[in-house]
Amino acid sequence: MSEEKQNIENTELVDELPEDAAPAGDAAAERIVALEGELAGAKQDALYAHAETQNVRRRLEKELADTRAYAATAFARDMLSVADNLSRALQTIPQELREDDKFKGLVAGLEATGRELESVFARNGIEKLVSVGQPLDPNKHQAMMEVPSDEVEPGTVLIEMQAGYTIKDRLLRPALVSVAKKPD
């Protein structure tokens, strides 16, 4: 009988196991679902952090490239005044002095200096703006006065008083210009 009694008890235990095991299985399944949700959230957070890191890196690389490209801006502005003065000095030398043997060397040296300065500007991405005959562009020109004219459309640059320059794709100095207007 003891065997029978034991079989009955085992049967009762077996019958009870699935019912008792089910809540433990549900808790484990719920725990797995919760952990998978946390894992998915952590993966998403890691992807966002990686994307943000890449964006910061790209921004810093662009800022570094801009800093390298435009680092000489202040120096270039200062050199423009030197170029302007040299150009004015060359323009004021009369033709008789240019042909005089005593001044030929000086004039040739000043002209060579002007060409070298233009070459240095070109190597560093500094370009002179073309203004005369162009329509007034407030992003490139500073209108100093208006002159009545029938020859060109109103708003067209007639005279360039001071050359404008760009460095790479940015305005370094606007051109000071005189603009046409309709005659009165």
Side-chain angles (χ1 to χ4, degrees), residues 53-68:
T53 302
Q54 285 181 334
N55 289 339
V56 167
R57 182 181 50 79
R58 285 186 195 122
R59 258 192 317 267
L60 289 175
E61 287 173 354
K62 183 182 180 327
E63 287 176 10
L64 182 61
D66 285 350
T67 300
R68 285 182 183 144

Side-chain angles (χ1 to χ4, degrees), residues 147-174:
V147 175
S149 176
D150 284 332
E151 297 173 14
V152 293
E153 289 290 317
T156 301
V157 174
L158 293 175
I159 302 168
E160 182 180 72
M161 295 171 229
Q162 184 180 50
Y165 288 87
T166 58
I167 183 169
K168 309 283 189 228
D169 58 348
R170 291 185 184 171
L171 184 66
L172 185 60
R173 179 178 80 183

Side-chain angles (χ1 to χ4, degrees), residues 70-88 117 120-121 126 162-163 165 167 172-173:
Y70 303 112
T73 299
F75 179 71
R77 278 193 190 108
D78 292 342
M79 290 306 296
L80 290 179
S81 66
V82 173
D84 291 340
N85 289 334
L86 181 60
S87 176
R88 282 195 238 19
L117 193 54
V120 168
F121 284 169
I126 300 169
Q162 184 180 50
Y165 288 87
I167 183 169
L172 185 60
R173 179 178 80 183

